[in-house]
Amino acid sequence: MTLFSFTTSSMFILGLAGLTFHRVHLLSALLCLEGMMLSLFLALSLWTLQFNSTNFSASPLLLLTFSACEASVGLALLVATARTHGSDRLFTLNLLQC
């Protein structure tokens, strides 16, 4: 396993572990998701540079665009949750209430 693959896989696994074990606030869950997306972006960018393939050169930009859209939707949900429920704690959210 090269240093590059070890670094990106450990970044992704740490983000996933933070998402599964530290689900107290919505903001911390969103930050873990952003860390996972950043590791995927780095892996995809360096993979296309390593193989000198121009066919997949637009893939990292597409992933970065989806990551920005995901971040904006997540922050909008965070603001809406904080306004309606008074906090961003995930345990206070109930899916059965409208």
Side-chain angles (χ1 to χ4, degrees):
M1 181 180 270
T2 63
L3 181 64
F4 161 68
S5 62
F6 176 73
T7 304
T8 54
S9 63
S10 64
M11 282 175 57
F12 187 80
I13 289 173
L14 282 175
L16 189 63
L19 187 63
T20 56
F21 295 130
H22 191 65
R23 294 184 306 162
V24 177
H25 294 281
L26 183 59
L27 185 62
S28 64
L30 290 174
L31 285 174
C32 290
L33 282 174
E34 285 300 315
M36 291 169 59
M37 289 299 284
L38 181 64
S39 69
L40 287 176
F41 172 71
L42 286 175
L44 196 58
S45 304
L46 293 175
W47 180 69
T48 55
L49 287 175
Q50 184 179 9
F51 290 120
N52 292 329
S53 63
T54 58
N55 296 334
F56 298 112
S57 62
S59 298
L61 292 176
L62 187 65
L63 182 72
L64 195 62
T65 304
F66 285 138
S67 176
C69 291
E70 176 237 342
S72 66
V73 168
L75 287 176
L77 285 173
L78 177 72
V79 168
T81 303
R83 284 185 180 174
T84 58
H85 295 287
S87 72
D88 68 334
R89 294 184 61 90
L90 292 176
F91 296 121
T92 60
L93 299 177
N94 189 0
L95 294 177
L96 297 176
Q97 290 178 340
C98 292

